[in-house]
Coordinates of all heavy atoms in Angstrom, one line a residue:
A50 N 38.5 -70.7 -12.1 CA 39.2 -72.0 -12.2 C 39.5 -72.4 -13.6 O 40.0 -73.5 -13.8 CB 38.5 -73.1 -11.4
M51 N 39.3 -71.5 -14.5 CA 39.4 -71.9 -16.0 C 40.6 -71.1 -16.5 O 40.9 -70.0 -16.2 CB 38.1 -71.5 -16.7 CG 36.8 -72.1 -16.1 SD 36.7 -73.9 -16.4 CE 36.2 -73.9 -18.1
A52 N 41.2 -71.7 -17.5 CA 42.4 -71.1 -18.2 C 42.3 -71.4 -19.7 O 43.2 -71.9 -20.3 CB 43.7 -71.6 -17.6
D53 N 41.2 -70.9 -20.3 CA 41.0 -71.1 -21.8 C 42.0 -70.2 -22.6 O 42.5 -70.7 -23.6 CB 39.6 -70.8 -22.2 CG 38.5 -71.5 -21.4 OD1 38.3 -72.7 -21.7 OD2 38.0 -70.9 -20.4
N54 N 42.2 -69.0 -22.1 CA 43.0 -68.1 -22.9 C 43.4 -66.9 -21.9 O 43.2 -67.0 -20.7 CB 42.2 -67.5 -24.1 CG 40.8 -67.1 -23.7 OD1 40.6 -66.3 -22.8 ND2 39.8 -67.7 -24.3
A55 N 44.0 -65.8 -22.5 CA 44.5 -64.8 -21.7 C 43.5 -64.0 -20.9 O 43.8 -63.3 -19.9 CB 45.3 -63.8 -22.5
A56 N 42.2 -64.1 -21.2 CA 41.2 -63.5 -20.4 C 41.0 -64.0 -19.0 O 40.4 -63.3 -18.1 CB 39.8 -63.6 -21.2
T57 N 41.6 -65.1 -18.7 CA 41.5 -65.7 -17.4 C 42.0 -64.8 -16.3 O 41.4 -64.8 -15.2 CB 42.2 -67.1 -17.3 OG1 41.9 -67.7 -16.1 CG2 43.7 -66.9 -17.5
Q58 N 43.0 -64.0 -16.6 CA 43.6 -63.1 -15.5 C 42.6 -62.1 -14.9 O 42.8 -61.7 -13.8 CB 44.8 -62.4 -16.1 CG 44.4 -61.4 -17.1 CD 45.7 -60.8 -17.8 OE1 46.5 -60.1 -17.1 NE2 45.9 -61.1 -19.1
F59 N 41.6 -61.7 -15.7 CA 40.6 -60.7 -15.1 C 39.7 -61.3 -14.0 O 39.3 -60.6 -13.2 CB 39.7 -60.2 -16.3 CG 39.2 -58.8 -16.1 CD1 40.1 -57.8 -15.9 CD2 37.9 -58.5 -16.1 CE1 39.7 -56.5 -15.7 CE2 37.4 -57.2 -15.9 CZ 38.3 -56.2 -15.8
R60 N 39.6 -62.6 -14.0 CA 38.8 -63.3 -13.0 C 39.6 -64.0 -11.9 O 39.2 -64.3 -10.8 CB 37.8 -64.2 -13.6 CG 36.8 -63.5 -14.5 CD 35.9 -62.6 -13.8 NE 34.9 -63.3 -13.1 CZ 33.6 -63.6 -13.5 NH1 33.3 -63.1 -14.7 NH2 32.8 -64.2 -12.8
N61 N 40.9 -64.3 -12.3 CA 41.9 -64.9 -11.3 C 43.3 -64.9 -12.0 O 43.6 -65.7 -12.8 CB 41.4 -66.4 -11.0 CG 42.3 -67.0 -10.0 OD1 43.3 -66.4 -9.5 ND2 42.0 -68.3 -9.6
P62 N 44.1 -64.0 -11.4 CA 45.4 -63.9 -12.1 C 46.3 -65.1 -11.9 O 47.2 -65.4 -12.6 CB 46.1 -62.7 -11.3 CG 45.3 -62.5 -10.1 CD 43.9 -63.0 -10.4
A63 N 46.0 -66.0 -10.8 CA 46.8 -67.2 -10.6 C 46.6 -68.2 -11.8 O 47.5 -69.0 -12.0 CB 46.3 -67.9 -9.3
M64 N 45.5 -68.1 -12.5 CA 45.3 -69.0 -13.6 C 46.2 -68.8 -14.8 O 46.3 -69.6 -15.7 CB 43.8 -69.0 -14.1 CG 42.9 -69.5 -13.0 SD 43.2 -71.2 -12.5 CE 43.2 -72.1 -14.0
M65 N 47.0 -67.7 -14.8 CA 47.9 -67.4 -15.9 C 49.0 -68.5 -15.9 O 49.7 -68.7 -16.9 CB 48.6 -66.1 -15.7 CG 47.7 -64.9 -16.0 SD 48.5 -63.3 -16.1 CE 49.3 -63.1 -14.5
T66 N 49.3 -69.1 -14.7 CA 50.3 -70.2 -14.6 C 49.9 -71.5 -15.5 O 50.8 -72.3 -15.6 CB 50.6 -70.6 -13.2 OG1 49.3 -71.2 -12.6 CG2 51.0 -69.4 -12.4
Y67 N 48.7 -71.5 -16.0 CA 48.3 -72.6 -16.9 C 48.4 -72.3 -18.3 O 48.0 -73.0 -19.2 CB 46.8 -73.0 -16.6 CG 46.7 -73.7 -15.2 CD1 46.7 -72.9 -14.0 CD2 46.5 -75.0 -15.1 CE1 46.5 -73.5 -12.8 CE2 46.4 -75.7 -13.9 CZ 46.3 -74.9 -12.8 OH 46.2 -75.5 -11.5
L68 N 49.0 -71.1 -18.6 CA 49.1 -70.6 -20.1 C 50.6 -70.5 -20.4 O 51.4 -69.8 -19.8 CB 48.5 -69.2 -20.2 CG 47.0 -69.1 -19.8 CD1 46.5 -67.6 -20.0 CD2 46.1 -70.0 -20.7
N69 N 51.0 -71.3 -21.5 CA 52.4 -71.3 -21.9 C 52.7 -70.2 -22.9 O 51.8 -69.8 -23.6 CB 52.7 -72.7 -22.5 CG 52.5 -73.8 -21.5 OD1 52.8 -73.7 -20.3 ND2 52.0 -75.0 -22.0
G70 N 53.9 -69.8 -22.8 CA 54.4 -68.8 -23.8 C 53.7 -67.5 -23.7 O 53.4 -67.0 -22.6
T71 N 53.5 -66.8 -24.8 CA 52.9 -65.6 -24.9 C 51.5 -65.7 -25.6 O 51.5 -66.4 -26.7 CB 53.7 -64.5 -25.7 OG1 54.9 -64.3 -25.0 CG2 53.0 -63.2 -25.7
Q72 N 50.4 -65.2 -25.0 CA 49.1 -65.4 -25.5 C 48.4 -64.0 -25.5 O 48.6 -63.2 -24.6 CB 48.3 -66.4 -24.7 CG 49.0 -67.8 -24.7 CD 48.1 -68.9 -24.2 OE1 46.8 -68.8 -24.3 NE2 48.6 -70.0 -23.8
M73 N 47.5 -63.8 -26.5 CA 46.8 -62.6 -26.7 C 45.3 -63.0 -27.0 O 45.0 -63.9 -27.8 CB 47.4 -61.7 -27.8 CG 46.6 -60.4 -27.9 SD 47.3 -59.5 -29.4 CE 49.0 -59.3 -28.8
T74 N 44.4 -62.3 -26.3 CA 42.9 -62.4 -26.6 C 42.3 -61.1 -26.7 O 42.5 -60.2 -25.9 CB 42.3 -63.2 -25.4 OG1 42.9 -64.5 -25.4 CG2 40.8 -63.3 -25.6
A75 N 41.4 -61.0 -27.7 CA 40.7 -59.7 -27.9 C 39.3 -60.0 -28.4 O 39.1 -61.0 -29.2 CB 41.4 -58.8 -28.9
G76 N 38.3 -59.3 -28.0 CA 36.9 -59.5 -28.4 C 36.0 -58.5 -28.0 O 36.4 -57.4 -27.5
A77 N 34.7 -58.8 -28.2 CA 33.7 -57.8 -27.8 C 32.4 -58.6 -27.6 O 32.1 -59.6 -28.2 CB 33.5 -56.7 -28.9
I78 N 31.5 -58.0 -26.8 CA 30.2 -58.6 -26.5 C 29.1 -57.5 -26.8 O 29.2 -56.4 -26.3 CB 30.0 -59.1 -25.0 CG1 31.0 -60.2 -24.8 CG2 28.6 -59.5 -24.7 CD1 31.0 -60.7 -23.4
L79 N 28.2 -57.9 -27.6 CA 27.1 -57.0 -28.0 C 25.9 -57.3 -27.1 O 25.5 -58.4 -26.8 CB 26.6 -57.3 -29.5 CG 25.3 -56.6 -29.9 CD1 25.4 -55.1 -29.9 CD2 24.9 -57.2 -31.3
V80 N 25.4 -56.2 -26.4 CA 24.4 -56.3 -25.4 C 23.1 -55.7 -26.0 O 23.1 -54.5 -26.4 CB 24.8 -55.6 -24.1 CG1 23.7 -55.8 -23.1 CG2 26.1 -56.2 -23.6
M81 N 22.0 -56.4 -26.0 CA 20.7 -55.9 -26.5 C 19.6 -56.1 -25.5 O 19.0 -57.1 -25.4 CB 20.4 -56.7 -27.8 CG 21.4 -56.5 -29.0 SD 21.0 -57.5 -30.4 CE 21.6 -59.1 -29.8
P82 N 19.5 -55.0 -24.6 CA 18.5 -55.1 -23.6 C 17.1 -54.7 -24.0 O 17.0 -53.9 -24.9 CB 19.1 -54.2 -22.5 CG 19.8 -53.1 -23.3 CD 20.3 -53.8 -24.6
N83 N 16.1 -55.2 -23.3 CA 14.8 -54.8 -23.5 C 14.1 -54.6 -22.1 O 13.5 -55.6 -21.6 CB 14.0 -55.8 -24.4 CG 12.5 -55.5 -24.5 OD1 12.1 -54.3 -24.4 ND2 11.7 -56.5 -24.7

Side-chain angles (χ1 to χ4, degrees):
M51 307 288 283
D53 307 277
N54 47 56
T57 186
Q58 65 187 295
F59 207 58
R60 299 294 284 265
N61 184 357
M64 293 306 301
M65 291 192 297
T66 61
Y67 289 78
L68 303 178
N69 297 323
T71 301
Q72 301 194 21
M73 182 184 299
T74 296
I78 295 176
L79 170 64
V80 183
M81 295 174 284
N83 176 24

